[in-house]
């Protein structure tokens, strides 16, 4: 009976469909950049471009690890609070007179610890990723606020990091080049190393990996650890960038981070979050913010647009993923 | 996860929970005698009301094995809708009805997307929560609304008291009573629970699984709106992030309660809410700054789900049996 | 011949009171394909699970090349050169065939930081294919491969790892086309030529003759006989009879004398679901049980789902109690008076963590509730207690979680659920899988009782059960109906119809 029951998949015109599907986000980025430029020529001013690249760079660092957490079929809603905690830790230590190197290292170390805790609870103890990271995120948020006793902490000297953020190589901020290299390495890790290979395999069938002796739980611990480190690095950079420690900074990155990852998941590896997609989506969001500001859109309109983008991104990623798989995947979480 | 576990002996769990509450209260009372005052009891019960309502709807969503992260956004949007209508001279009843209307509409959208569109619940509700959170700004561009609040009767909701306790607490108990009957003693509740635990078997038993999944999201939205009405009555103003503080206590209440009483249920959520509120209230009475509250709640939640983890419990039970306490592990198995 | 690669003596395994396997002696020569035959519950799967390290044996010895070995885990077994390929191997759908074959060994070393050398993986895959030529495109993603191609990928995965001497294939051909079968058999022939021994579990007799060297028949947890294919042919033994053995007549309630004489309660005409079912036509009369025999992949489960509105929509007509019905959902089917006792009670029939009273009332919540939808607790408990007594639920505890009952009692709860729902047509699918003999007899009695007032259809891959219980039977083979329901089909002919697709 299988002559008929072996599933027939609609493989026909996917090639062309797929090429557009693969790269449409990049097209959307260019289109929106041009559209804003048409309305407000100052959009393409080098100053504005630098601002866009700079804010996108920090954002991109924050969500690099998150991309892999979600690619592995899990979720992390603590990343922005880890960034806030690292941000406040750094600012707090600076305020107490320690040097930038120590302050930054402590900020990153604390992010690594939280990431590790997430990883152990989710990867080893098999707790629900959402509940676990809601809780660890809550602890981080509280700790961040406690460091500044509820208020922000001013940073007088942004040190070498401040210089690094301000530095430009021609029209391009140095940080953007740094992030470009980082993402290139990440892409290599994702595509050329077993690391990335197993992340995607784990999302599909953990059992298959366990059967051939791949330690999936260790992979999950590692992925959460990376997410914690990435978020905390971004938090430290934000301290230098804003010349202050901001305890409430997390909430503004929450939607943006998830939107970036899920929108990015609709590019290249359709239905699977990946680093190039995330980078493109981060840029798109930065362009939207910048262009919206130039056009005088209020903040909340941008929030609505981002939410709608996220919804559209998820809906299309799920649909496309299903169409390409030929079968529906089970829910996340 | 703990929400799936069964009550092996519900009675002992309730006793253990009451003992825990008594211990917590005793500790606080020792440190700060005012903790046992009527005034504080009034405050605790009032705080319980709003958080308890938000957690109540979430319980339904968790029972159908989904998550909803949009209810804080829904609450904010509904708060501004209600505030806007009151400021515009509409009656309190009409305003609350409209708030419930928009909230339930968003809940239905969530439910439709998750149940019928088969979108992943977490991200979908994050997105819709963000959209409606932004829409809360539509009415005033973000300004706080307070006009007509005094005269509308809204504030009175906060001031009515019986026997020294706020009306909102009695309202909470009444709603929990209704929810208890619905979830644990009605055909609808049986359908919710069957749909959550084994959707295939529920479908083959003639239960419209998707409809109930969608319904759970609508219930969650509705109770979030009711919760925010209490907050509006208490504060006398409507803010654009009125619902933002619901997320953590609601999740903590549902999952802590589930961990304590062995599964998500209406009594479990009530127990979780009570324990969290008692703790938070105690800390605030001791002068612990407000920003520790999320951290405390989170730590309790983590401790709850880790300590009451099914595997850990089984190992603990095994140890107890080994040491000669309690009943034998294997006796319930065929 | 040289020393056997595998020698097993007096192997035994018990599960609680059930002797699943007793005193089994077995030898496997190097480079032979050895079929294991037997009906459901004959002990084949217990046997191979012990061999592949999934279960540990209670008694007996396993020797490889004359040395005694102990398998504590599948990895132990693989280390000794024994690998089992499951019916539904765990593969990653997104990855290509060769990526799956070398999963975990993509680079030079293990771990997360090894470079994936796709060129070398291809080379290694080509080398593998050169040793064992098989027509398969390994650069396609596994999600787009057919069942047999996945099976082949899993076989190649096993072969690529260790020095595999013994390969166990668990019913690889339950859903194969002729072409796919050819591909798989050529691969097996190559493996044999390389000196690899294959244990091949199957239900399908005609395939056995084509490819295997020897065959062993299991029945009731014991090895009945082992013979070469030539000997089997020469002696003209009917394998069906070997597999079936004596009927356990006392298990089944007496049939009706006047079967087929009552009025037609339920009828199906021209039922067709493209690719699954083809022109099914039968009727069920009051007072009788109609049995359908079919193997996994015959469309049995699908037929039950189509009748119950859980699959489809299918072409064709269904009539129940004189009315034409066309249920599109289980809800509509229940409203029309159809109840399905599904094939997998744990995933399809029960809400395991809930109490038995919860489960018994679930399929008719309208009846279980009154004013405002509130459940009538006392009434439901009384009704459930009566049902528990009727189905002899043991222990008759209404508040006990269903998961704490034995398999047979779980099935009784599903039957009680059907009784509470109240239907005119009851469909039972694989009603006694994992049910001990005492509970089986009771379940059969219940089904017979049901037939007095309602139409009953029994669908099973246990030929004995279908034949012993039903008044009239027919078989299903690859979605086709073999024969019309008849009371005169012998056990052997029914078995032949189900496994070979013809009545002769």
């Amino acid at each position: 009976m299988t002559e008929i029951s072996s599933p027939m998949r609609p493989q026909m015109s996917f090639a062309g469909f797929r090429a557009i599907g693969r790269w449409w986000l990049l097209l959307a980025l260019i289109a929106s950049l041009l559209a804003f430029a048409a309305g407000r020529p100052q959009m393409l001013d080098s100053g504005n471009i630098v601002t866009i690249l700079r804010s996108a760079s920090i954002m991109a660092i924050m969500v690099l690890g998150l991309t892999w957490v979600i690619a592995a079929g899990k979720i992390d809603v603590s990343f922005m609070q880890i960034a806030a905690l690292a941000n406040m830790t750094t600012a707090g230590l600076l305020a107490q007179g320690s040097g930038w190197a120590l302050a930054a290292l402590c900020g990153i170390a604390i992010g690594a610890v939280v990431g590790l805790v997430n990883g152990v609870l989710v990867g080893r103890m098999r707790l629900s990723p959402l509940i676990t990271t809601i809780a660890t995120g809550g602890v981080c948020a509280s700790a961040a606020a406690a460091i500044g006793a509820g208020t922000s902490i001013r940073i007088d000297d942004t040190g070498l990091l401040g210089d690094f953020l301000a530095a430009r190589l021609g029209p391009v901020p140095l940080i953007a080049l740094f992030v470009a290299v980082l993402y290139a390495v990440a892409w290599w890790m994702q595509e050329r190393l077993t690391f990335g290979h197993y992340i995607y395999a784990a999302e599909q069938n953990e059992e298959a990996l366990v059967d051939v002796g791949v330690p999936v739980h260790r992979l999950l611990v590692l992925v959460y650890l990376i997410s914690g480190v990435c978020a905390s690095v971004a938090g430290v950079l934000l301290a230098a960038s804003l010349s202050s420690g901001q305890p409430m900074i997390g909430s503004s990155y929450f939607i943006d981070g998830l939107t970036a990852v899920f929108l990015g998941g609709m590019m290249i590896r359709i239905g699977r979050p990946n680093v190039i997609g995330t980078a493109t989506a981060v840029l798109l969001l930065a362009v939207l913010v910048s262009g919206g500001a130039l056009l005088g859109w209020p903040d909340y309109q941008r929030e609505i647009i981002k939410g709608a983008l996220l919804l559209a991104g998820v809906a299309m990623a799920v649909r496309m993923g299903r169409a390409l798989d030929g079968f529906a995947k089970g829910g996340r979480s | 996860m703990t929400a799936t576990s069964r009550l092996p002996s519900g009675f002992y769990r309730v006793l253990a929970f009451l003992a825990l509450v008594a211990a917590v209260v005793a500790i606080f009372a020792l440190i700060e005698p005012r903790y046992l005052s009527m005034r504080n009891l009034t405050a605790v019960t009032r705080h319980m009301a709003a958080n308890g309502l938000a957690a109540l709807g979430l319980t339904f969503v968790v029972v159908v094995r989904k998550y909803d992260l949009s209810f804080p956004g829904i609450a904010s949007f509904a708060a501004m809708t209600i505030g806007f209508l009151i400021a515009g001279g509409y009656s309190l009843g009409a305003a609350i009805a409209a708030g419930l209307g928009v909230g339930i509409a968003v809940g239905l959208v969530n439910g439709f997307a998750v149940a019928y569109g088969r979108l992943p619940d977490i991200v979908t509700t994050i997105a819709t929560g963000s959209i409606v959170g932004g829409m809360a700004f539509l009415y005033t561009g973000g300004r706080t609304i307070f006009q007509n609040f005094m005269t509308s009767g809204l504030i009175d909701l906060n001031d009515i008291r019986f026997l020294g306790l706020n009306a909102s607490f009695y309202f909470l108990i009444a709603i929990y009573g209704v929810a208890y009957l619905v979830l644990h003693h009605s055909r609808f509740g049986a359908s919710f629970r069957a749909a959550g635990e084994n959707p295939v078997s529920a479908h083959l038993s003639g239960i419209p699984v998707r409809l109930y999944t969608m319904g759970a999201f609508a219930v969650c939205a509705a109770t979030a709106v009711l919760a925010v009405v209490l907050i509006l009555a208490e504060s006398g103003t409507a803010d654009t992030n009125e619902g933002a503080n619901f997320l953590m206590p609601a999740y903590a209440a549902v999952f802590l309660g589930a961990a304590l009483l062995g599964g998500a249920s209406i009594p479990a959520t009530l127990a979780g809410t009570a324990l969290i509120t008692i703790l938070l209230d105690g800390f605030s009475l001791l002068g612990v700054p407000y920003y520790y509250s999320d951290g405390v709640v989170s730590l309790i939640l983590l401790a709850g789900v880790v300590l009451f983890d099914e595997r850990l419990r089984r190992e603990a039970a095994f140890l107890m049996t080994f040491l000669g306490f309690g009943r034998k592990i294997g006796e319930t198995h065929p | 011949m040289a020393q056997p690669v595998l020698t097993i003596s007096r192997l035994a395994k018990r599960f609680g009171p059930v002797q699943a396997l007793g005193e089994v002696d077995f030898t496997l020569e190097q480079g032979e394909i050895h079929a294991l035959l037997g009906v459901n519950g004959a002990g084949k799967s217990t046997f191979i699970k012990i061999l592949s390290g999934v279960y540990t044996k209670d008694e007996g010895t396993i020797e490889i090349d004359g040395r005694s070995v102990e398998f504590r885990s599948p990895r132990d077994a693989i280390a000794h050169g024994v690998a089992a390929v499951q019916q539904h191997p765990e593969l990653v759908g997104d990855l290509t065939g060769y990526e799956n074959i070398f999963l975990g060994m993509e680079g030079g070393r293990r771990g997360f930081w090894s470079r994936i050398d796709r060129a070398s993986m291809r080379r290694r895959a080509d080398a593998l294919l050169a040793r064992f030529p098989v027509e398969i495109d390994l650069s396609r993603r596994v999600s787009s491969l057919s069942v047999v191609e996945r099976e082949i990928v899993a076989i190649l995965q096993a072969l690529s790892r260790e020095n595999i001497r013994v390969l166990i294939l668990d019913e690889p051909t339950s859903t194969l086309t002729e072409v796919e079968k050819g591909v798989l058999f050529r691969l097996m022939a190559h493996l044999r030529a390389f000196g690899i021994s294959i244990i091949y579990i199957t239900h399908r007799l005609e395939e056995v003759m084509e490819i295997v060297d020897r065959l062993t028949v299991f029945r009731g947890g014991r090895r009945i006989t082992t013979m070469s294919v030539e000997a089997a042919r020469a002696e003209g033994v009917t394998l069906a009879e070997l597999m079936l053995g004596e009927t356990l007549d006392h298990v089944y309630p007496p049939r009706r004398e006047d079967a087929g004489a009552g009025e037609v309660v339920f009828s199906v005409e021209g039922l067709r679901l493209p690719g699954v079912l083809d022109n099914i036509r039968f009727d069920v009369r009051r007072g009788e049980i109609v049995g359908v025999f079919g193997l996994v992949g015959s469309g049995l489960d699908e037929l039950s789902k189509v009748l119950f509105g859980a699959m489809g929509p299918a072409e064709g007509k269904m009539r129940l109690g004189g009315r034409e019905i066309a249920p599109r959902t289980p809800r509509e089917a229940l409203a029309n008076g159809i109840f399905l006792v599904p094939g997998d009670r744990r995933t399809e029939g029960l809400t395991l963590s809930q109490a038995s009273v919860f489960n018994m009332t679930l399929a008719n919540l309208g009846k279980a509730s009154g004013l405002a939808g509130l459940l009538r607790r006392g009434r439901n408990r009384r009704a459930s207690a009566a049902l528990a007594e009727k189905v002899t639920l043991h222990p008759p505890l209404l508040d006990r979680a269903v998961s704490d009952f034995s398999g047979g009692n779980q099935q009784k709860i599903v039957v009680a659920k059907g009784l509470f729902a109240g239907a005119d047509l009851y469909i039972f699918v694989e009603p006694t899988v994992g049910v001990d003999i005492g509970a089986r007899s009771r379940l059969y009695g219940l089904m017979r009782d049901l037939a007095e007032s309602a139409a009953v259809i029994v669908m099973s891959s246990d030929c004995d059960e279908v034949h012993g219980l039903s008044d009239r039977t027919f078989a299903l083979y690859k979605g086709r109906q073999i024969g019309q329901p008849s009371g005169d089909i012998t056990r052997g002919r029914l078995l032949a119809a189900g496994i070979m697709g013809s009545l002769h």
Side-chain angles (χ1 to χ4, degrees):
Chain A
M1 63 162 263
T2 18
E3 53 265 65
I4 16 198
S5 85
S6 68
M8 287 179 212
R9 292 195 180 78
Q11 296 234 329
M12 50 316 167
S13 66
F14 262 144
F17 182 47
R18 216 167 153 169
I20 300 172
R22 272 166 179 261
W23 298 105
W24 76 272
L25 200 65
L26 200 59
L27 299 179
L29 171 62
I30 295 166
S32 57
L33 196 61
L34 293 179
F36 283 122
R40 288 281 184 281
Q42 54 280 42
M43 183 76 192
L44 294 178
D45 285 356
S46 69
N48 198 48
I49 295 285
V50 166
T51 314
I52 291 176
L53 286 177
R54 198 170 281 148
S55 69
S57 297
I58 294 179
M59 179 82 210
I61 293 172
M62 195 184 297
V63 297
L64 176 59
L66 180 67
T67 306
W68 287 331
V69 170
I70 296 176
K74 306 293 175 196
I75 188 103
D76 182 358
V77 293
S78 69
F79 71 96
M80 67 290 178
Q81 304 299 7
I82 294 177
L85 178 58
N87 174 267
M88 285 301 287
T89 305
T90 307
L93 285 172
L94 288 172
Q96 292 195 347
S98 64
W100 257 104
L102 179 69
L105 274 178
C106 285
I108 294 166
I110 228 162
V113 169
V114 179
L116 199 62
V117 170
N118 281 339
V120 169
L121 292 178
V122 175
R124 283 236 183 238
M125 295 196 59
R126 301 265 137 203
L127 297 185
S128 151
L130 180 72
I131 301 305
T132 303
T133 56
I134 281 184
T136 54
V139 173
C140 289
S142 266
I147 288 173
T151 59
S152 57
I153 300 174
R154 250 184 69 78
I155 297 171
D156 297 321
D157 176 15
T158 57
L160 268 177
L161 214 51
D163 299 339
F164 170 66
L165 283 173
R168 288 164 60 168
L169 214 74
V172 184
L174 203 56
I175 176 82
L177 291 176
F178 170 76
V179 168
V181 172
L182 180 69
Y183 264 70
V185 171
W187 176 254
W188 180 76
M189 284 166 65
Q190 177 190 292
E191 295 298 309
R192 298 282 178 266
L193 295 187
T194 45
F195 173 71
H197 197 66
Y198 296 157
I199 287 179
Y200 292 104
E203 193 263 354
Q204 289 222 311
N205 191 346
E206 284 190 21
E207 204 53 42
L209 283 174
V210 172
D211 280 357
V212 298
V214 174
V216 177
H217 53 89
R218 257 177 36 210
L219 182 71
L220 291 177
V221 173
L222 184 64
V223 167
Y224 272 100
L225 174 66
I226 293 174
S227 181
V229 170
C230 286
S232 57
V233 168
V236 171
L237 288 171
L238 280 170
S241 161
L242 302 169
S243 305
S244 64
Q246 299 284 353
M248 302 303 188
I249 204 164
S251 52
S252 55
Y253 281 94
F254 176 46
I255 295 291
D256 289 27
L258 292 171
T259 308
V261 172
F262 278 96
L263 269 185
M266 299 173 56
M267 205 178 126
I268 304 175
R269 282 174 169 260
I270 294 153
R272 318 263 180 270
N274 63 87
V275 296
I276 299 292
T278 299
T280 312
V282 165
L283 275 174
L284 177 64
L285 290 177
V287 165
L288 281 179
V289 168
S290 168
L294 285 174
L295 288 173
W297 293 355
D299 226 23
Y300 69 86
Q301 288 186 1
R302 284 180 261 152
E303 283 304 309
I304 295 175
I305 290 172
K306 279 184 219 160
L309 267 178
L310 178 56
L311 198 56
V314 169
M316 285 182 66
V318 168
R319 293 262 163 257
M320 289 233 189
R322 270 191 204 134
L324 291 174
D325 279 357
F327 53 81
K329 288 188 300 158
R332 295 171 184 279
S333 78
Chain B
M1 219 172 47
T2 37
T4 63
S5 57
R6 283 194 317 275
L7 344 160
S9 47
F11 179 67
Y12 292 105
R13 280 172 172 274
V14 171
L15 272 189
F17 166 73
L18 291 177
L20 184 62
V21 169
V24 169
V25 171
I27 292 170
F28 278 125
L30 279 177
I31 305 173
E32 173 56 82
R34 273 187 300 152
Y35 193 78
L36 287 179
S37 67
M38 192 63 205
R39 197 186 153 87
N40 190 49
L41 186 63
T42 309
V44 170
T45 51
R46 197 179 63 228
H47 292 150
M48 250 186 91
N51 287 341
L53 279 177
L56 179 62
L58 183 63
T59 311
F60 281 81
V61 175
V62 171
V63 162
V64 297
R65 303 289 156 92
K66 299 285 176 203
Y67 293 113
D68 185 357
L69 291 166
S70 69
F71 63 90
I74 291 174
S76 301
F77 181 44
M80 291 306 278
T81 306
I82 293 168
F84 183 72
L85 290 177
I86 290 176
Y90 288 88
S91 74
L92 181 63
I96 292 177
L100 274 173
V102 295
I104 290 171
V106 180
L108 287 174
V109 169
N110 281 334
F112 185 82
V114 172
Y116 293 89
R118 290 191 294 160
L119 297 187
D121 48 350
I122 297 175
V123 190
T124 302
T125 54
I126 286 174
T128 54
S130 165
I131 293 171
V132 293
M135 284 164 69
F137 288 76
L138 283 177
Y139 299 105
T140 62
R143 281 188 311 282
T144 301
I145 304 176
F146 54 86
Q147 293 88 346
N148 292 346
F149 270 41
M150 293 300 283
T151 52
S152 67
L154 181 61
I155 312 288
D156 301 336
L157 291 182
N158 190 47
D159 294 339
I160 307 170
R161 288 188 187 182
F162 301 108
L163 305 171
L165 299 180
N166 281 70
S168 57
F169 181 69
Y170 297 104
F171 181 60
L172 177 83
I173 297 301
I175 292 261
Y176 264 74
V178 171
Y180 176 74
L181 284 180
V182 169
L183 194 56
H184 300 288
H185 290 286
S186 83
R187 56 179 301 186
F188 312 111
S191 302
F192 274 119
R193 286 183 287 154
E197 190 177 325
N198 187 346
V200 176
S201 131
H203 177 64
L204 293 180
S205 303
I207 291 164
V209 173
R210 292 174 171 192
L211 191 67
Y212 275 94
T213 306
M214 185 164 84
F217 281 94
V219 171
C220 185
T223 60
V225 175
L226 291 177
V228 90
V229 168
L230 297 183
I231 299 285
L232 291 180
E234 193 181 336
S235 67
T237 60
D239 250 320
T240 48
N241 66 344
E242 205 71 83
N245 292 328
F246 286 157
L247 186 71
M248 188 67 69
Y251 269 91
V254 173
F255 284 92
L256 186 62
L260 291 172
L261 296 192
S265 66
I266 300 298
T269 302
L270 188 65
T273 306
L275 185 61
I276 286 164
T277 314
I278 287 168
L279 281 162
L280 284 181
D281 187 75
F283 283 119
S284 84
L285 203 65
L286 296 182
V288 177
Y290 71 94
Y291 43 75
Y292 283 109
S293 66
D294 264 9
V296 171
V297 173
S298 302
L299 281 176
I300 299 168
L301 172 58
L302 261 187
V305 292
V306 172
L307 293 178
F308 290 82
D309 183 66
E310 187 78 353
R311 276 169 308 160
L312 276 180
R313 261 216 313 273
R314 228 176 298 142
E315 274 160 33
F318 178 76
L319 196 66
M320 295 292 271
T321 317
F322 188 71
L323 296 173
F325 302 112
R327 51 193 202 130
K328 281 207 186 81
I329 288 196
E331 78 183 3
T332 55
H333 291 284
Chain C
M1 226 175 192
Q3 190 181 35
V5 60
L6 188 68
T7 310
I8 286 163
S9 42
R10 304 183 68 81
L11 196 68
K13 178 77 183 172
R14 294 180 78 87
F15 293 107
V18 182
Q19 183 84 39
L21 212 57
E23 311 230 325
V24 171
D25 294 326
F26 181 84
T27 58
L28 186 66
E29 305 294 340
Q30 178 162 358
E32 76 162 333
I33 301 178
H34 195 133
L36 295 191
L37 297 170
V39 298
N40 284 340
K44 292 172 306 191
S45 70
T46 308
F47 180 69
I48 63 150
K49 277 182 173 151
I50 292 174
L51 264 190
S52 56
V54 177
Y55 294 160
T56 49
K57 59 183 165 43
D58 290 346
E59 283 163 49
T61 56
I62 302 175
E63 287 173 22
I64 290 182
D65 292 336
R67 276 201 309 276
S68 177
V69 292
E70 295 282 332
F71 297 156
R72 284 177 200 86
S73 69
R75 214 161 278 176
D76 264 3
I78 290 170
H80 283 100
V82 180
V85 174
Q86 301 305 320
Q87 241 172 326
H88 301 285
E90 296 284 355
L91 297 171
V92 182
D94 243 16
L95 300 183
T96 60
Y98 68 86
E99 283 172 331
N100 267 288
I101 291 174
F102 298 111
L103 191 66
M105 322 196 312
E106 290 82 359
R109 56 209 156 85
R110 287 183 167 258
F112 304 140
W113 310 117
S114 182
R115 245 186 82 103
I116 298 174
D117 191 344
R118 289 205 164 76
S120 133
M121 272 160 71
R122 265 176 218 274
R123 263 201 315 279
R124 282 186 283 162
D126 287 345
L128 207 56
L129 285 184
R131 270 176 75 199
F132 312 112
V134 53
E135 303 94 271
I136 186 171
D137 181 1
L138 291 177
S139 61
R140 279 169 65 198
R141 298 200 311 172
V142 160
S143 59
S144 70
L145 297 182
S146 69
V147 176
V148 70
E149 287 171 318
R150 290 178 200 211
E151 182 90 17
I152 287 170
V153 168
I155 293 173
L156 292 175
Q157 190 190 51
L159 294 172
S160 73
R161 261 145 235 275
E162 314 280 337
N163 185 19
I164 296 298
R165 316 271 314 277
V166 178
L167 198 62
I168 301 168
L169 301 183
D170 188 359
E171 278 194 70
T173 50
S174 55
T175 53
L176 288 191
T177 64
E178 287 302 311
V179 178
E180 290 172 332
K181 204 178 79 185
V183 172
L184 182 69
F185 281 8
R186 275 195 291 284
L187 175 61
M188 287 168 64
H190 278 290
L191 295 174
R192 170 166 59 187
F194 267 87
I196 294 171
S197 311
I198 298 174
I199 298 176
Y200 180 98
I201 294 101
T202 186
H203 267 111
R204 296 176 192 268
L205 298 174
E206 83 276 29
E207 288 166 1
V208 168
M209 297 303 189
E210 239 177 89
I211 182 84
V212 305
D213 303 308
R214 289 199 298 164
L215 52 92
T216 291
V217 178
F218 275 76
R219 195 170 73 212
R222 304 199 167 245
R223 185 180 65 88
I224 298 305
T225 183
T226 298
M227 62 176 74
S228 72
V229 169
E230 290 78 27
R233 280 216 192 89
E235 289 173 32
V237 211
T238 56
L239 291 173
E241 272 165 27
L242 284 176
M243 281 163 70
L244 287 171
E246 289 163 44
T247 31
L248 297 161
D249 274 331
H250 61 281
V251 174
Y252 302 106
R255 293 200 193 102
R256 282 173 70 102
E257 300 293 314
D258 55 347
E263 90 267 26
V264 173
V265 179
F266 177 70
S267 67
V268 175
E269 243 177 81
L271 199 69
R272 202 185 302 266
L273 188 63
V276 179
L277 295 171
D278 189 25
N279 199 14
I280 307 294
R281 181 168 61 88
F282 67 94
D283 59 19
V284 189
R285 291 159 192 272
R286 186 168 307 284
E288 71 166 354
I289 297 176
V290 167
V292 189
F293 167 62
L295 299 175
V296 175
S298 63
L300 205 63
D301 199 49
E302 290 81 355
L303 175 60
S304 74
K305 298 266 163 67
V306 166
L307 297 182
F308 195 55
M311 195 185 236
E315 294 168 37
K317 283 205 178 93
M318 282 163 60
R319 296 179 74 84
L320 180 62
R323 285 175 302 124
E324 189 163 315
I325 58 168
R328 286 165 302 168
T329 61
R331 193 178 176 74
E332 287 181 12
L334 283 163
N336 279 318
I338 304 178
F339 187 83
L340 172 70
V341 177
D344 187 341
R345 59 180 166 267
R346 295 177 69 85
T347 62
E348 299 177 324
L350 294 165
T351 309
L352 286 173
S353 80
Q354 297 287 351
S356 42
V357 58
F358 179 97
N359 277 278
M360 286 185 194
T361 52
L362 195 62
N364 195 346
L365 287 170
K367 179 174 155 191
S369 59
L371 187 69
L374 287 178
L375 294 172
R376 298 162 160 179
R377 199 174 128 79
R379 234 182 63 148
N380 291 341
R381 289 186 72 83
R382 281 195 298 280
S384 296
L387 288 174
E389 197 186 324
K390 185 170 168 63
V391 302
T392 60
L393 183 67
H394 182 80
L397 299 174
L398 297 181
D399 293 316
R400 193 187 216 194
V402 168
S403 56
D404 291 342
F405 284 94
S406 68
N409 282 294
Q410 288 180 353
Q411 192 69 306
K412 288 178 188 169
I413 292 172
V414 182
V415 174
K417 178 176 164 180
L419 290 172
F420 187 84
D424 300 320
L425 169 67
Y426 288 89
I427 304 167
F428 289 82
V429 182
E430 306 284 6
T432 56
V433 171
V435 174
D436 64 83
I437 198 84
R440 264 173 70 180
S441 161
R442 181 65 204 134
L443 279 168
Y444 294 144
L446 283 167
M447 286 148 84
R448 182 50 73 185
D449 290 349
L450 271 176
E452 292 297 321
S453 55
V456 172
I457 304 173
V458 176
M459 304 184 180
S460 172
S461 60
D462 181 344
C463 182
D464 231 16
E465 175 173 277
V466 172
H467 190 264
L469 179 64
S470 315
D471 301 299
R472 295 189 297 148
T473 57
F474 65 92
L476 212 57
Y477 180 77
K478 296 188 177 179
R480 275 189 299 125
Q481 179 176 355
I482 310 297
Q484 272 300 307
S486 150
D488 328 316
I489 302 177
T490 62
R491 215 158 46 114
R493 280 176 71 209
L494 185 65
L495 184 69
I499 59 189
M500 290 187 282
S502 90
L503 278 166
H504 310 290

